[in-house]
Amino acid sequence: KMLGRVLCTVLFVGAFPSPAEASQGHISVVLLGATGDLAKKYLWQGLFQLYMDQVSSGHSFTFHGAALAALEPGQRLMFDVLKKLSCPPDEAPNRCAVLKDQFLKLSQYHQLKTAENYTALNREIEALLRQEGLKEAGRIFYFSVPPFAYTEIARHINGSCRPPAGAWLRVVLEKPFGHDLASAQQLAAELAGFFREEEMYRVDHYLGKQAVAHILPFRDQNRQFLDPIWNQHHVERVEVVLKETVDAKGRTSFYEQYGVIRDVLQNHLTEALMFLIMELPANVSSAQEVVQHKLQAFRSLWGLERSSAVLGQYQAYDSQVQEELQEAQACVSTTPTFAGVLIRSDSLRWEGVPFLLTSGKALDERVGYARVLFKNRAYCTQSGTLRDAGHSQCKPKQIIFYFGHGALNTPAVLVSRNLFQPVMPKDSWKEAEAQSDLHVFGQPLSDFYMYSPVKERDAYSVLISNIYHGRKDFFITTENLLASWAFWTPLLDSTSRQPPRLYPGGVENQHLLDFEMVSGGVAFTLAEPAELLNPSGQMPSDFRAIQSKFRQSPLVSAWAEDLISQLASDMEEAAVRSVARSGQFHLALSGGSSPVVLFQRLARHHYSFPWQHTHVWLVDERCVPLTDSESNFLGLHRHLLQRVRVPYFNIHPMPVHLNRRLCVEEDRGAELYAKDIVALVANASFDLVLLGVGTDGHTASLFPRSENGLEGAPTVVLTESPVKPHQRMSLSLPLINRARQVFVLVLGKGKHDITTLLSRVGHEPRKWPISGVSPSSGQLVWYMDYEALLG
């Protein structure tokens, strides 16, 4: 009886307090990918640490290594790794030797390739438990395999390897969890077909790093000091940084698919940032409360655009890709190996505070940290010598969560002495003695209260222990994962064609990768001579000429981000001209998804826009409460109005919700809006109307064959949409055509078919309402991105 013999030996050396306590049940740990790199470097050592820590907990264990290799070679590879396992320095040598010997005896290798293999493993676990007379507590399946294998493995586990009722199942998943939002959603949906949310533990090993794991407890334990200063009035900026000296050599097949943003920023650095900026839950140990506050923090972030990031690539990367992936020498990769990203939040706490996330390979040092730099409001009259002494208020004030490596070479928490002396748990963190020769961010360590862990632990050992204890606050939930991908995917899409800045690597980078915050985004501080590389050998004949007219009206065309920038500038110019002419600017805006990026651009970059003199009207509205997520006004408010200073009385939402009813004709909401327009807008002629185009040719909420609004009086009408919510309120076509200027924004490949059709048809508003837009005494301008125009 293998397990019985091991139990007796462990009892003999005093690892268990007493046999009576060895009754909490048996745990089977199955490590899939047991002979892979991650398993060799971290996972087996983490499992051995778990065994050492929990051998006297009352649970018994078996460890099943599994891979695709056949039994004999797989077993040999696995046990070569197990023989090299080590104990912590403070472990007694005789106890270490016994525990290591028993761990090896409790470990066995399995080939897990087919459904039959999983059934056989399940039978073996059940037979062992019957033989030893043990009750099953649960099973841990650790997926140290590529994500493309997840679904098939999940199907096998769910079909034939689940523990019986009363025992728990914990499935551990390693990143990457998808490549973008769509792939993450697909993978999440597939796994949800086999496992419940509480059974899945998605690993981000940075959450196991001691300094990262202590951010929330630190904020909780030091609320009295931090509450007054943890906000926009006192914080200058927040930095989360991971620098590496190594390059991607040997990993280019992975790196070509993911790059630095997907590999590091979307997960590790974002999670650390969330811990810093989320509102503190009442109970920081509650996984559910923590994730809800994280999601709230995600919702407060401004969307990322191309100007939010600077990208770089070390010069040797291309040749490594060509060599490892056998690509042709003409192949030029645009995969970034360095990224600096500016993130902003519109929360009351953090509005205006820049969050900088930076990571890269082949840099000058290996270090990781999260740093909160505070504003220094002091003016010091003393000389430089006195200013540098003691706790001078003129010194920089900062809190640093030091992940490891770098000058300190240990995890640490540092707090400037001119801030406060923090509360730290004495059982797990100790105050470190300052080494006079060491400096952090140009300051001697003596300027800080510095704390390091009483006992350093590897991140994977921490996480494996948390899996055993069922602590989900250290892991990424599906909601958390999808919120992160929803935030990062637009940046990944907008920079996919952007050539990164080349840098030599190491100390030779000098100041080449330094960047600064400019115009709401970031840019490299040093200009770089640029040469356009053209690997595909395209000739002028490969390109189509783009006309400057569309339907006999001016056409502006560009890539989406450049187009939005031009449109925002043209809108500001129109506003300034109108205010100079009449003292007011009446702007009517459409809803939907296309204008969102425009609204964000106006809010972030156009500080000279005369908002104080602007009246904002809606072109159309869905018949839902204004607080409903479907409301055009709510979208306009979220992305623009709450970020600019428009006088309250200059904002004119459509009155779709009157007398506790939605768009009821007797309430005369459309008539009220029309009267407001006549009363406030000279000649009921808007200075600028912004429209979009639907794939069916509709514009505003005027749909093909609509009974109202396509002709007749210039007024406001109720209409019916073919899609939900069906009821709408809209400016009529004759009222739109009274405007001084009408801009039509058309974005995306999905609009290519309708733009092609519109280029060929005449004035047929009953079929295609947009074709009826023709200002009677104003100007119509089309703004189309290349995807909508050229497909």
Side-chain angles (χ1 to χ4, degrees):
K1 291 186 177 183
M2 178 191 72
L3 198 60
R5 286 198 304 273
V6 171
L7 190 62
C8 288
T9 309
V10 176
L11 283 168
F12 177 73
V13 298
F16 278 127
S18 70
E21 289 186 26
S23 59
Q24 289 187 33
H26 184 75
I27 296 173
S28 304
V29 181
V30 182
L31 175 54
L32 298 135
T35 57
D37 279 348
L38 187 65
K40 288 177 189 174
K41 287 180 182 174
Y42 302 110
L43 301 184
W44 279 116
Q45 185 64 49
L47 291 173
F48 180 44
Q49 184 65 53
L50 174 71
Y51 181 65
M52 287 189 285
D53 292 343
Q54 303 301 330
V55 69
S56 57
S57 67
H59 284 122
S60 56
F61 294 88
T62 46
F63 299 90
H64 305 265
L68 296 176
L71 186 62
E72 193 176 321
Q75 194 166 268
R76 187 170 60 252
L77 281 169
M78 188 182 98
F79 277 93
D80 283 346
V81 176
L82 298 191
K83 288 169 188 171
K84 295 173 185 172
L85 295 175
S86 60
C87 296
D90 58 352
E91 192 69 70
N94 62 334
R95 186 175 188 270
C96 174
V98 170
L99 289 177
K100 184 175 174 181
D101 181 55
Q102 304 317 317
F103 183 78
L104 265 65
K105 287 177 181 173
L106 292 171
S107 303
Q108 50 190 301
Y109 177 82
H110 306 262
Q111 183 185 39
L112 287 185
K113 201 170 185 179
T114 65
E116 291 73 27
N117 295 151
Y118 284 85
T119 303
L121 172 63
N122 187 58
R123 279 200 301 265
E124 192 171 318
I125 292 171
E126 288 176 344
L128 177 67
L129 292 168
R130 276 196 309 272
Q131 182 181 324
E132 302 296 343
L134 291 169
K135 179 186 175 184
E136 185 159 18
R139 297 181 190 180
I140 297 172
F141 285 87
Y142 200 120
F143 287 39
S144 180
V145 295
F148 67 76
Y150 282 6
T151 304
E152 186 183 356
I153 294 171
R155 185 179 293 110
H156 291 321
I157 293 171
N158 187 57
S160 59
C161 221
R162 270 188 172 274
W168 46 255
L169 172 66
R170 291 174 191 156
V171 176
V172 188
L173 305 166
E174 275 285 347
K175 80 175 184 75
F177 313 117
H179 185 262
D180 55 16
L181 178 58
S183 59
Q185 286 172 325
Q186 182 182 347
L187 182 57
E190 289 169 357
L191 290 172
F194 304 112
F195 306 127
R196 297 190 302 276
E197 180 66 32
E198 62 267 24
E199 293 176 330
M200 289 186 280
Y201 290 69
R202 287 185 187 84
V203 169
D204 181 332
H205 77 272
Y206 257 63
L207 301 189
K209 287 187 175 289
Q210 286 165 291
V212 177
H214 196 62
I215 294 174
L216 277 186
F218 177 89
R219 289 181 59 193
D220 184 47
Q221 291 153 13
N222 290 279
R223 285 181 194 249
Q224 59 176 322
F225 305 118
L226 293 176
D227 277 355
I229 63 172
W230 205 255
N231 56 58
Q232 58 172 311
H233 303 297
H234 295 271
V235 175
E236 181 179 313
R237 69 182 186 212
V238 177
E239 303 168 0
V240 188
V241 175
L242 173 61
K243 295 169 67 178
E244 297 183 88
T245 53
V246 298
D247 59 21
K249 191 171 185 179
R251 293 184 71 220
T252 55
S253 60
F254 168 83
Y255 224 74
E256 267 300 274
Q257 294 179 64
Y258 291 93
V260 68
I261 294 178
R262 291 180 174 94
D263 186 35
V264 178
L265 278 78
Q266 179 271 328
N267 36 70
H268 305 329
L269 302 195
T270 300
E271 287 302 310
L273 178 67
M274 290 298 108
F275 284 157
L276 290 168
I277 69 170
M278 64 187 268
E279 292 300 311
L280 267 185
N283 179 7
V284 295
S285 299
S286 164
Q288 192 172 3
E289 284 188 49
V290 168
V291 77
Q292 289 310 311
H293 283 72
K294 267 195 202 175
L295 294 174
Q296 185 184 353
F298 270 118
R299 286 191 289 270
S300 77
L301 300 180
W302 289 18
L304 295 173
E305 49 193 38
R306 192 169 62 185
S307 60
S308 302
V310 289
L311 305 176
Q313 183 192 92
Y314 64 84
Q315 287 171 345
Y317 181 76
D318 259 347
S319 60
Q320 290 171 354
V321 169
Q322 291 162 12
E323 180 186 340
E324 292 178 25
L325 303 184
Q326 278 129 34
E327 296 283 359
Q329 283 204 339
C331 168
V332 176
S333 170
T334 58
T335 302
T337 61
F338 168 85
V341 178
L342 171 64
I343 297 173
R344 291 188 183 274
S345 167
D346 61 15
S347 72
L348 289 174
R349 183 182 296 277
W350 296 114
E351 187 176 11
V353 178
F355 308 141
L356 294 170
L357 270 57
T358 307
S359 184
K361 290 190 172 293
L363 300 182
D364 61 317
E365 63 176 338
R366 183 186 184 190
V367 69
Y369 59 84
R371 177 189 184 210
V372 180
L373 183 64
F374 292 86
K375 295 174 183 176
N376 200 325
R377 302 176 182 278
Y379 171 75
C380 298
T381 56
Q382 68 264 49
S383 67
T385 309
L386 289 169
R387 190 179 300 172
D388 291 340
H391 299 182
S392 168
Q393 289 300 310
C394 278
K395 289 187 176 183
K397 300 176 181 182
Q398 51 194 322
I399 297 174
I400 304 162
F401 298 92
Y402 204 88
F403 307 156
H405 305 293
L408 302 184
N409 202 31
T410 180
V413 176
L414 299 97
V415 179
S416 293
R417 289 183 180 271
N418 55 5
L419 270 175
F420 59 87
Q421 182 167 8
V423 175
M424 296 290 282
K426 290 185 169 59
D427 58 333
S428 52
W429 291 84
K430 62 185 179 186
E431 188 164 3
E433 290 182 18
Q435 299 174 48
S436 57
D437 57 329
L438 287 182
H439 286 68
V440 178
F441 300 110
Q443 288 186 263
L445 282 186
S446 57
D447 282 358
F448 298 92
Y449 296 109
M450 176 179 161
Y451 299 84
S452 58
V454 171
K455 183 178 182 180
E456 271 194 59
R457 298 197 67 186
D458 169 69
Y460 278 99
S461 295
V462 172
L463 292 173
I464 288 169
S465 173
N466 287 318
I467 294 161
Y468 163 79
H469 287 290
R471 284 198 61 183
K472 290 215 70 176
D473 48 321
F474 282 79
F475 299 89
I476 309 299
T477 65
T478 301
E479 277 186 300
N480 188 163
L481 172 71
L482 297 182
S484 182
W485 274 122
F487 175 68
W488 285 100
T489 297
L491 178 68
L492 292 165
D493 290 344
S494 67
T495 57
S496 60
R497 300 185 187 93
Q498 185 174 327
R501 167 171 288 199
L502 296 178
Y503 58 95
V507 292
E508 291 179 41
N509 295 334
Q510 299 287 325
H511 299 291
L512 202 58
L513 297 178
D514 293 353
F515 60 93
E516 59 188 337
M517 292 172 275
V518 287
S519 303
V522 285
F524 286 117
T525 54
L526 291 182
E528 177 193 35
E531 180 184 352
L532 181 64
L533 299 173
N534 193 5
S536 57
Q538 290 173 316
M539 302 298 290
S541 58
D542 295 331
F543 296 89
R544 283 174 56 185
I546 297 173
Q547 301 298 321
S548 58
K549 294 272 186 181
F550 183 79
R551 294 180 55 83
Q552 288 78 54
S553 292
L555 168 68
V556 179
S557 55
W559 290 114
E561 193 163 330
D562 296 331
L563 182 74
I564 292 296
S565 176
Q566 183 62 54
L567 174 54
S569 296
D570 290 351
M571 288 177 69
E572 181 178 329
E573 189 179 326
V576 170
R577 276 200 316 267
S578 177
V579 170
R581 182 181 64 249
S582 65
Q584 294 180 335
F585 178 56
H586 286 276
L587 171 66
L589 296 170
S590 291
S593 57
S594 291
V596 167
V597 285
L598 171 65
F599 298 159
Q600 292 173 341
R601 178 88 196 175
L602 287 168
R604 296 179 191 182
H605 300 282
H606 290 266
Y607 300 110
S608 299
F609 200 105
W611 293 114
Q612 288 286 335
H613 304 282
T614 298
H615 284 257
V616 178
W617 302 82
L618 266 75
V619 169
D620 64 327
E621 181 59 281
R622 298 173 170 98
C623 291
V624 295
L626 298 185
T627 53
D628 190 289
S629 61
E630 294 276 353
S631 165
N632 287 344
F633 178 77
L634 183 65
L636 177 63
H637 177 262
R638 277 182 177 166
H639 300 294
L640 178 63
L641 296 180
Q642 69 177 1
R643 298 177 180 176
V644 295
R645 292 187 175 180
V646 182
Y648 174 79
F649 291 109
N650 288 10
I651 298 171
H652 309 281
M654 281 185 158
V656 293
H657 198 184
L658 297 172
N659 302 320
R660 300 184 183 177
R661 305 188 295 186
L662 292 165
C663 293
V664 174
E665 249 183 89
E666 295 80 52
D667 294 332
R668 303 168 70 182
E671 187 180 329
L672 285 170
Y673 206 58
K675 283 182 176 177
D676 280 352
I677 293 169
V678 169
L680 295 170
V681 183
N683 302 318
S685 175
F686 290 107
D687 295 301
L688 176 60
V689 174
L690 177 73
L691 298 176
V693 181
T695 54
D696 59 354
H698 84 264
T699 191
S701 280
L702 303 171
F703 297 91
R705 289 169 293 281
S706 182
E707 293 181 14
N708 301 320
L710 295 179
E711 52 195 16
T715 187
V716 181
V717 294
L718 294 176
T719 66
E720 289 285 325
S721 163
V723 296
K724 289 183 178 180
H726 296 298
Q727 282 190 298
R728 308 288 176 94
M729 186 180 288
S730 178
L731 303 186
S732 70
L733 204 51
L735 182 54
I736 290 169
N737 283 333
R738 293 186 73 153
R740 288 174 176 273
Q741 284 188 297
V742 177
F743 292 171
V744 182
L745 175 62
V746 192
L747 295 175
K749 200 172 286 187
K751 301 289 176 68
H752 177 60
D753 289 346
I754 189 63
T755 56
T756 304
L757 178 67
L758 289 171
S759 69
R760 298 169 183 162
V761 302
H763 180 88
E764 298 184 65
R766 291 204 64 77
K767 283 188 181 177
W768 301 287
I770 188 66
S771 72
V773 176
S774 180
S776 52
S777 59
Q779 182 190 36
L780 169 63
V781 184
W782 295 82
Y783 290 81
M784 286 190 195
D785 76 342
Y786 291 146
E787 289 191 331
L789 188 62
L790 304 176

